[in-house]
Amino acid sequence: ERLCLTTGMKYGVGLSGVALLLFFIAMDSGVGEGGVPNDEAFDQIPVTAANGIDAQLAAKGRSLEKPPAMMMIVPIMHWPIRNARDKQVIGEILRIYPSKLMLRFLVSEKAYMRTKGAKADSVKGIDDHILLVEPFREKGFTWELLWRGLLKITQRHLLDVDWFIVSDLDTLVVSTNIAAYTSYLNPDQAFYLGHVSGLDTWNKEGVLYNDRGAFVLSRKALQLFATRVQHLDEEQQESAPQASDPYECADAPGVIFDSRVGACLREVGVEPAETRDSKGRQRFLANKPSKREDFRKCSNYPLSFSKISTLQQFQTLEYYTLKQPYVDAYLGIEPPISGKPFRMGNTDSSNLQMDANGNLPSLGGKRAVGSWLKNSEKAPNCLKKDDSSSCPCQVQLPSGIESARSQANPCKEGATLAHGGECAMKCREGDGGSGVARCYNGFLMLPSLPCNGQKKDSNPCRIPAEHPNTIFTPKSGSYIDSGKQLAVTCAQGYQLPGADSRAEYVCYRGNLGLGQTCQKCGEWTLQVEGSRYNVPAWKDIKINGVASDTFTVTGVAAGSDADPVKNCGQFSLPEQLILVEASTMKFRYALSCSNNEFEIKSAAFRETGQCEQ
């Protein structure tokens, strides 16, 4: 029997896969959270091998000597990094990947500058790979951190990189296999690669997306994504964001981002591609392999593993997948089936309805592929055509930047640049130098200037309209100066995520960065399972909160102020494991010491109107 990791390895072919299988069976008695998502639905959708990739989708020149240029992007949700396990994994990422690809950690600029110099909370070498991003929210900004980070990467690196890999800290990216797989594809075509999710909600929402563990965007896909999300600020300018639809392309607070990435790409005509092999097996694994049947579901050359809970698991997978030379993956990996979008069959057994264009018929034109390109006045006309290689750009000078009039071809606000055209711009204040902006297929690539995109710190903020059960102080319509705070207070029976009844938001460069507004209180019931031991109370944990709360398990230093129990030290264990609300990282429940691992098996919410005091 051939397991997914027993081929594609130059040495120890049979033994390595068996050893890895035995290791994970010993380490973990079950699959990661929820198992492999939608396995039954996937099994009902047969995959047929095609006669090679369509010519227009194929790479122009596949070369063993010159692998595709790649960048790995890892959002850091909470800064400074205090979780011991996260520090260890980041250390491993810094050890493994910089020699293989460009590496960028997305970090909130406000949080980074506030703690600059706090070496006890940093990881050696990380500063060389940090990209500072300006999410205006203080809490629950995971999606905002990602879309603003990808927009900034587009403006700086779009022409330097072929493929952009977005990964979580609990995921191992097999970069050599991804390089070999993408070497068959043309990065100037729009590809969105990953483990397709959203099948369980497709008949209602009509959006497919790739699992957040790891997904890959081609240069063209990232350019189209950036073209769409650069308008999110102005779309949300006049109203406070809601706990809005996670399948909508909008700037909203929250920690969910995989479905939003899929929604934004869908609006510009980019769908998840079919990435399974010719036998229907997964290449992007939405969990770590831990049982024999998991190996039957994965391809011989896996591209990523998700839901890795320990450093030992991370190091073991890295040893058996990333130690092999690129030539092995290049020669052995099976090519993409066709490079075309993922499609599902309209069978009675699956009951998943999709037309030939990849749309849900019952939604009509809502959420149709390419809806933003077809209907929005902001979408350049040329992007609506199949061939957008000559798409021009309209020059819009970012705040803090002006035309470099002393240069040969200064940028002019509102002027049109042809594809490939260039113009010069410079910092409005200080000695920041000048640089050249370039038009690339409708997207204006900005030069790297110290003032690039910055608003003046003195810009005031306008208080938006109030929302039900949410009280603003000062009142709506008034202004507050930069550095001043807006107080948000919830009416009785309502709270913010993390069981807070009040929050303050600081005016920062003209933007308040409001988080979610007040929601009706209720009670969560969670079932948490330990991998090594359990106690009955973990099967029925009751926590007061609101419907948009999300939960995760993290560790705090034993005996520290953040430790609610303070007894792990007597067992020589370094951390106390706790359950926190993910968007605020607020403590919600104490679990055990760090000699255990936890999985949230289920979480259910019911409204009660009773709030935590």
Side-chain angles (χ1 to χ4, degrees):
E1 180 179 358
R2 297 177 71 184
L3 304 183
C4 75
L5 298 183
T6 59
T7 59
M9 300 186 182
K10 195 170 183 179
Y11 308 104
V13 168
L15 179 61
S16 61
V18 173
L20 182 60
L21 172 62
L22 293 175
F23 166 77
F24 276 110
I25 290 175
M27 285 296 295
D28 193 348
S29 60
V31 188
E33 183 174 349
V36 180
N38 309 310
D39 278 334
E40 294 182 2
F42 274 119
D43 291 341
Q44 295 162 0
I45 305 166
V47 179
T48 305
N51 296 323
I53 305 167
D54 293 0
Q56 67 170 350
L57 303 177
K60 297 176 182 178
R62 186 169 185 256
S63 169
L64 175 61
E65 288 72 30
K66 189 178 180 182
M70 301 189 301
M71 174 185 286
M72 189 164 115
I73 302 158
V74 184
I76 302 294
M77 309 309 173
H78 302 284
W79 188 272
I81 305 163
R82 294 200 170 100
N83 182 290
R85 183 260 177 198
D86 286 352
K87 284 185 178 182
Q88 291 173 335
V89 170
I90 290 172
E92 291 298 295
I93 290 173
L94 289 167
R95 175 181 65 83
I96 296 168
Y97 292 105
S99 63
K100 302 176 184 295
L101 42 68
M102 292 178 67
L103 175 63
R104 292 293 182 270
F105 294 98
L106 304 183
V107 174
S108 165
E109 182 187 35
K110 273 198 288 188
Y112 182 85
M113 298 307 291
R114 189 164 51 228
T115 59
K116 192 173 183 180
K119 294 184 178 180
D121 294 318
S122 64
V123 179
K124 185 178 180 180
I126 191 174
D127 284 358
D128 296 335
H129 302 279
I130 282 178
L131 179 67
L132 296 179
V133 186
E134 297 180 1
F136 294 115
R137 296 179 181 87
E138 294 274 357
K139 301 175 181 178
F141 59 69
T142 308
W143 161 234
E144 187 188 6
L145 180 74
L146 181 66
W147 76 255
R148 290 190 189 279
L150 290 179
L151 182 58
K152 200 166 187 177
I153 284 170
T154 306
Q155 293 169 333
R156 293 186 175 194
H157 299 291
L158 186 65
L159 302 182
D160 305 324
V161 178
D162 298 317
W163 299 92
F164 300 83
I165 306 164
V166 179
S167 175
D168 263 352
L169 283 177
D170 68 350
T171 298
L172 179 82
V173 170
V174 189
S175 56
T176 48
N177 288 356
I178 291 179
Y181 181 80
T182 56
S183 70
Y184 282 100
L185 300 172
N186 181 0
D188 291 320
Q189 296 288 330
F191 291 106
Y192 174 33
L193 312 174
H195 183 115
V196 177
S197 299
L199 289 170
D200 53 340
T201 58
W202 169 261
N203 283 348
K204 178 183 177 183
E205 305 295 348
V207 174
L208 293 180
Y209 52 93
N210 286 324
D211 183 83
R212 67 180 289 166
F215 61 87
V216 182
L217 297 175
S218 65
R219 176 168 48 241
K220 179 65 175 180
L222 181 62
Q223 176 227 334
L224 289 169
F225 177 83
T227 302
R228 174 65 186 96
V229 299
Q230 66 182 335
H231 295 278
L232 294 187
D233 264 338
E234 56 198 72
E235 291 173 7
Q236 295 288 356
Q237 194 171 21
E238 294 301 321
S239 61
Q242 301 293 298
S244 59
D245 186 349
Y247 298 91
E248 177 185 3
C249 182
D251 177 33
V255 297
I256 295 174
F257 68 73
D258 45 4
S259 57
R260 291 197 184 278
V261 170
C264 291
L265 285 167
R266 186 175 183 80
E267 289 190 4
V268 289
V270 183
E271 304 172 77
E274 176 60 81
T275 57
R276 293 171 293 172
D277 66 15
S278 59
K279 295 182 180 179
R281 299 174 301 186
Q282 295 290 349
R283 303 188 205 240
F284 291 87
L285 272 71
N287 62 293
K288 61 181 182 290
S290 57
K291 295 191 295 187
R292 183 174 295 272
E293 52 264 35
D294 297 339
F295 288 88
R296 298 192 188 104
K297 294 174 183 175
C298 70
S299 182
N300 290 343
Y301 289 82
L303 305 184
S304 69
F305 299 91
S306 296
K307 295 186 174 68
I308 300 172
S309 54
T310 70
L311 181 66
Q312 186 179 10
Q313 292 169 1
F314 192 95
Q315 291 172 332
T316 303
L317 280 170
E318 183 257 337
Y319 178 81
Y320 286 113
T321 59
L322 278 162
K323 294 293 185 182
Q324 309 305 317
Y326 175 62
V327 63
D328 289 5
Y330 181 88
L331 296 174
I333 198 165
E334 181 186 2
I337 293 174
S338 68
K340 291 185 177 180
F342 176 93
R343 288 289 182 263
M344 58 184 73
N346 294 327
T347 63
D348 293 336
S349 59
S350 68
N351 195 34
L352 298 173
Q353 303 301 312
M354 176 184 280
D355 64 23
N357 296 317
N359 297 318
L360 178 61
S362 62
L363 291 180
K366 183 182 179 184
R367 288 182 175 153
V369 176
S371 59
W372 186 77
L373 295 181
K374 297 171 185 175
N375 300 323
S376 175
E377 295 178 356
K378 296 171 183 174
N381 288 330
C382 61
L383 286 180
K384 302 174 186 179
K385 303 175 183 178
D386 291 336
D387 179 16
S388 61
S389 60
S390 60
C391 198
C393 304
Q394 186 177 35
V395 176
Q396 293 182 335
L397 296 172
S399 178
I401 287 180
E402 65 183 10
S403 174
R405 297 182 179 86
S406 61
Q407 302 296 320
N409 186 28
C411 294
K412 297 179 181 178
E413 182 74 28
T416 298
L417 281 180
H419 169 64
E422 298 179 345
C423 67
M425 55 178 61
K426 69 180 186 70
C427 293
R428 182 174 289 120
E429 298 177 0
D431 186 19
S434 62
V436 174
R438 181 184 178 189
C439 177
Y440 178 78
N441 285 2
F443 193 88
L444 189 63
M445 304 283 296
L446 300 177
S448 179
L449 297 173
C451 56
N452 190 355
Q454 294 185 359
K455 298 178 181 179
K456 292 183 178 179
D457 289 337
S458 59
N459 284 0
C461 298
R462 183 177 183 273
I463 310 301
E466 287 184 357
H467 291 269
N469 308 298
T470 304
I471 304 166
F472 290 160
T473 308
K475 294 183 178 180
S476 298
S478 57
Y479 287 83
I480 58 175
D481 293 331
S482 179
K484 300 297 183 181
Q485 293 182 339
L486 165 69
V488 176
T489 308
C490 298
Q492 186 173 359
Y494 291 79
Q495 283 186 333
L496 296 159
D500 290 324
S501 297
R502 178 184 169 87
E504 289 80 30
Y505 298 95
V506 179
C507 176
Y508 178 71
R509 294 180 177 171
N511 195 302
L512 279 166
L514 280 169
Q516 294 178 2
T517 49
C518 303
Q519 303 161 53
K520 195 168 185 178
C521 296
E523 183 181 69
W524 281 95
T525 301
L526 290 89
Q527 180 184 355
V528 177
E529 185 176 285
S531 63
R532 291 177 172 81
Y533 58 89
N534 287 281
V535 297
W538 296 344
K539 293 183 178 181
D540 189 33
I541 298 174
K542 303 292 185 183
I543 298 175
N544 288 338
V546 296
S548 64
D549 283 339
T550 53
F551 300 94
T552 189
V553 177
T554 189
V556 294
S560 67
D561 291 342
D563 181 357
V565 183
K566 295 182 173 60
N567 70 346
C568 294
Q570 63 183 307
F571 305 111
S572 300
L573 294 170
E575 287 188 310
Q576 167 72 43
L577 300 181
I578 60 174
L579 197 65
V580 297
E581 198 284 313
S583 68
T584 60
M585 292 303 286
K586 184 175 180 180
F587 165 75
R588 306 305 290 135
Y589 190 87
L591 293 168
S592 74
C593 300
S594 51
N595 60 338
N596 206 354
E597 297 175 25
F598 287 95
E599 177 185 344
I600 300 174
K601 303 294 290 186
S602 64
F605 177 78
R606 66 183 183 91
E607 286 188 352
T608 63
Q610 301 296 315
C611 299
E612 180 173 304
Q613 302 300 317

